[in-house]
Amino acid sequence: MDYANLPDIAVKLALRHALTPKPDLSQALEFLWVCSSWRRLGLALVFAHAYFLETKPPPSSDTPEESSDESPFRNCDTNIHMIVASKSTKYVKSLAISFCKTTTLSHFLQDMDKIMGFTTHSQWLNVRSFQTSARSPSRTDEEARIVLMRDRATHVNIQRTFIEALQENLPRIDTLVVHASDDSWLSTETTNVFVNSFLPQLTRLQATDIPVSFSDQQQMAGNLTTIKAKMNRHRPVILPHMVPEQMNLIELLDVPRTFDWSCFDPSGQKTEISFDNLHSLKLVFKGEAADQNVSRRYKVIFPKLKTLAVIGWHQSYTLFTSTVFPSHLHRLQLSECTQAMAEISHTHTINTVDSLTINIPQNARSNEDMFYQITNYYFSPTLCSTFNEFYLGCSLRNFVPENVNWHSLLFLQISSTITFSQILALLPHCPTLRDLTISDMVFESNSEFTQLPDNLKVEKLMILSLYDHNMIDHIRECIGYLVVNLRRLSCFVTTVDAHQYLNDLVEREKSDYPHLEDLDMSSKNMFL
């Protein structure tokens, strides 16, 4: 085979396969010697990601003082030396730099020009993504932590100096990812300094480990298209001003109950906010309820939304009533947010959903009108007939299977109480179902084994359930009935102690039920 004349796409696929997940540079360089076309394509892959990472040292060595005869970077892993030496910085697209100790960062700053090749005019102009970790010394190393607290301002200034050096020499960074391993003041300060320093130039921001405090109520993030962040609900400013028309993805954690859409209206003059390009919205609320109704004055439009997730919205005021959703959603997740469920059902704009996750809290049943409004909408024949995936987390004790029509459903996960009889009644209404997981099945003592259709397509069944050991014989019989009568079943997992019973059952019945011959069965301890 003439490897030199392979199409570029074939070479790229081969190189990506060989260099994933993290390339061994000595091995990777061998690919670059195949021919000039492999070298041209390979350099961009081999050197696409640069890193300088301090691995976490053991507590005994995590002290503020460094031994004079040891390298300050002895615990660091990096490929930057090779990238600079081979004059390949122009191929780097992303950079990750992370230190466990501020002292190591201080040493890095002193030698940064040499390490990064800034003094030799190395070009890092194609770096668009920067990733760092905000970490403090080990909690067992009290001496190091005392030193940090005593000289807090110095450590913050070191972080600022580091950021200024990055901004000066890597001017095109538009993606920032900040990780944190704890909630100490150093991790918090580092996260906030990085976020607020880079924010005006960012198109993508991810900081979901530490609550982010934005420094100025009028701070603009005019270039931002993607934000994944944990809010600081104890601060009056929870978000910078963003341009709704250009947002692609919004994922906010620990959202305070005071949240409304006004952060997308810096002028305060709008009555309509349109997220023209937003395809994914996730809001996870936390904190005490608030008494306000600011959002009612906005009509909010999501013409291209594909994924919507709302978790923990218990407000009495409206957030979604004056909202226009597209008629089709790929994924809809509504959990512990009865008010939002009711508001979205009122809009009557969502007609089809591929994947639906519903978790109705128990206290919703105290408001029967709202509960039946919710169930009538989300279990309506029109909406149900479009599901491919359904994750159900609300009680089905009063569920009537005859009311559903799940003719497109491929995956069903029920994490709330459902009886064995209800499952038998439900399965005929799911003719396309392939994968069924049940987390809390109740086995009634008077269960009747109603006939299941022969053409059911369930291939994988998982039953994870606590059960009454006094009923173990009856429970095994119920499970055995499902295993035998789901004629396409190939994988079965359960927490019920039924392994020996099922093995004996398979031996007895496999001549009449051929699928049992190749059935893969396993038992799991629910508390492992």
Side-chain angles (χ1 to χ4, degrees):
M1 179 182 290
D2 186 359
Y3 291 103
N5 291 321
L6 285 175
D8 285 359
I9 184 64
V11 175
K12 285 182 179 179
L13 287 173
L15 289 171
R16 282 198 179 99
H17 179 74
L19 302 176
T20 302
K22 180 180 177 182
D24 180 327
L25 288 182
S26 61
Q27 181 181 0
L29 292 177
E30 294 180 8
F31 288 94
L32 306 184
W33 286 103
V34 173
C35 62
S36 59
S37 64
W38 280 55
R39 189 156 48 253
R40 171 177 55 83
L41 297 169
L43 284 169
L45 293 173
V46 172
F47 297 123
H49 178 64
Y51 56 88
F52 199 108
L53 308 173
E54 183 179 19
T55 57
K56 201 159 189 177
S60 59
S61 64
D62 191 13
T63 58
E65 298 297 329
E66 297 287 353
S67 174
S68 59
D69 59 349
E70 289 185 319
S71 166
F73 308 125
R74 64 188 180 280
N75 294 313
C76 295
D77 181 22
T78 180
N79 65 349
I80 289 178
H81 296 306
M82 181 172 285
I83 291 174
V84 172
S86 61
K87 299 181 180 179
S88 301
T89 55
K90 63 183 177 181
Y91 298 110
V92 179
K93 299 293 193 298
S94 65
L95 174 64
I97 299 179
S98 177
F99 300 102
C100 297
K101 298 186 291 184
T102 311
T103 50
T104 314
L105 173 56
S106 182
H107 285 295
F108 180 83
L109 286 174
Q110 293 173 19
D111 296 335
M112 188 174 183
D113 287 348
K114 181 180 178 181
I115 294 171
M116 302 292 293
F118 294 150
T119 54
T120 58
H121 305 289
S122 293
Q123 296 296 305
W124 294 81
L125 297 181
N126 291 319
V127 176
R128 306 297 295 269
S129 174
F130 181 74
Q131 179 173 321
T132 191
S133 293
R135 292 184 288 185
S136 295
S138 168
R139 292 184 184 276
T140 61
D141 189 351
E142 288 302 320
E143 184 179 358
R145 298 180 69 80
I146 290 170
V147 171
L148 282 173
M149 290 300 295
R150 188 174 60 217
D151 205 4
R152 181 169 178 163
T154 298
H155 293 286
V156 173
N157 287 335
I158 288 174
Q159 297 287 356
R160 293 188 184 279
T161 303
F162 179 40
I163 291 170
E164 290 170 2
L166 290 173
Q167 290 178 317
E168 179 181 352
N169 293 284
L170 292 82
R172 296 182 181 176
I173 292 176
D174 60 15
T175 298
L176 176 65
V177 179
V178 184
H179 296 293
S181 60
D182 57 44
D183 57 357
S184 67
W185 72 265
L186 182 59
S187 295
T188 302
E189 290 280 4
T190 300
T191 299
N192 289 321
V193 168
F194 266 95
V195 169
N196 286 290
S197 298
F198 280 101
L199 188 61
Q201 68 195 67
L202 294 180
T203 60
R204 291 177 291 276
L205 168 63
Q206 179 177 331
T208 56
D209 297 328
I210 294 291
V212 179
S213 299
F214 295 98
S215 58
D216 183 359
Q217 189 164 6
Q218 298 303 316
Q219 189 172 15
M220 291 298 294
N223 297 311
L224 211 60
T225 62
T226 296
I227 181 170
K228 295 182 178 181
K230 178 179 284 190
M231 303 290 89
N232 188 340
R233 63 185 187 277
H234 302 298
R235 293 285 294 269
V237 182
I238 60 170
L239 284 174
H241 287 310
M242 294 173 280
V243 180
E245 292 82 2
Q246 66 187 32
M247 298 303 298
N248 294 325
L249 183 148
I250 300 173
E251 182 177 309
L252 304 177
L253 309 180
D254 285 8
V255 181
R257 308 296 182 180
T258 54
F259 174 83
D260 58 63
W261 304 110
S262 60
C263 56
F264 298 97
D265 176 24
S267 67
Q269 303 299 313
K270 292 182 179 180
T271 58
E272 180 177 299
I273 298 175
S274 182
F275 292 88
D276 294 343
N277 294 294
L278 191 70
H279 61 78
S280 181
L281 173 64
K282 181 176 182 179
L283 301 174
V284 182
F285 291 89
K286 189 174 183 179
E288 298 298 323
D291 184 19
Q292 65 178 58
N293 201 15
V294 177
S295 295
R296 180 171 289 175
R297 72 181 193 213
Y298 291 109
K299 179 181 181 181
V300 186
I301 304 173
F302 299 100
K304 296 182 180 179
L305 196 67
K306 295 297 182 186
T307 299
L308 172 63
V310 183
I311 301 169
W313 178 256
H314 298 298
Q315 292 297 85
S316 58
Y317 71 87
T318 60
L319 186 66
F320 294 104
T321 295
S322 301
T323 303
V324 179
F325 294 105
S327 61
H328 173 75
L329 285 180
H330 172 63
R331 187 176 298 276
L332 175 61
Q333 178 183 358
L334 301 172
S335 181
E336 300 292 327
C337 54
T338 313
Q339 179 70 25
M341 292 180 190
E343 290 177 15
I344 291 171
S345 68
H346 272 305
T347 66
H348 294 291
T349 56
I350 301 174
N351 297 321
T352 59
V353 176
D354 293 334
S355 177
L356 177 65
T357 299
I358 288 287
N359 186 357
I360 304 175
Q362 289 296 323
N363 59 11
R365 291 183 174 274
S366 61
N367 186 335
E368 289 192 5
D369 290 340
M370 179 178 289
F371 177 77
Y372 284 110
Q373 173 195 326
I374 290 171
T375 53
N376 286 339
Y377 176 73
Y378 293 104
F379 292 91
S380 66
T382 302
L383 203 60
C384 286
S385 65
T386 68
F387 299 157
N388 293 322
E389 298 179 350
F390 193 13
Y391 300 81
L392 187 60
C394 53
S395 177
L396 292 181
R397 286 191 178 277
N398 299 319
F399 185 56
V400 183
E402 290 75 12
N403 289 341
V404 302
N405 179 20
W406 292 341
H407 286 288
S408 298
L409 193 63
L410 299 176
F411 178 91
L412 174 61
Q413 178 176 314
I414 302 175
S415 57
S416 57
T417 302
I418 187 168
T419 67
F420 175 74
S421 299
Q422 285 175 324
I423 287 294
L424 294 183
L426 177 63
L427 283 170
H429 298 271
C430 308
T432 59
L433 186 65
R434 298 291 199 279
D435 193 323
L436 173 61
T437 297
I438 306 167
S439 298
D440 188 12
M441 182 183 284
V442 174
F443 299 90
E444 316 100 314
S445 58
N446 58 345
S447 301
E448 294 185 7
F449 298 149
T450 56
Q451 183 65 39
L452 290 175
D454 293 342
N455 61 347
L456 293 179
K457 295 180 172 61
V458 177
E459 298 171 355
K460 181 178 179 181
L461 174 63
M462 184 179 295
I463 298 177
L464 311 175
S465 180
L466 298 173
Y467 55 92
D468 184 354
H469 287 271
N470 294 323
M471 293 178 59
I472 189 61
D473 291 337
H474 175 66
I475 292 171
R476 288 169 179 165
E477 189 178 357
C478 292
I479 289 176
Y481 182 80
L482 289 173
V483 168
V484 168
N485 288 279
L486 294 174
R487 308 283 178 102
R488 297 195 182 185
L489 195 65
S490 60
C491 179
F492 175 66
V493 179
T494 185
T495 56
V496 176
D497 181 14
H499 187 70
Q500 187 60 51
Y501 173 85
L502 292 174
N503 283 337
D504 295 342
L505 179 67
V506 167
E507 286 300 316
R508 291 196 311 269
E509 303 290 347
K510 65 183 180 182
S511 59
D512 295 327
Y513 299 92
H515 72 282
L516 297 177
E517 188 76 45
D518 300 317
L519 181 62
D520 179 17
M521 295 186 297
S522 63
S523 299
K524 293 185 178 296
N525 188 326
M526 201 168 188
F527 300 100
L528 288 180

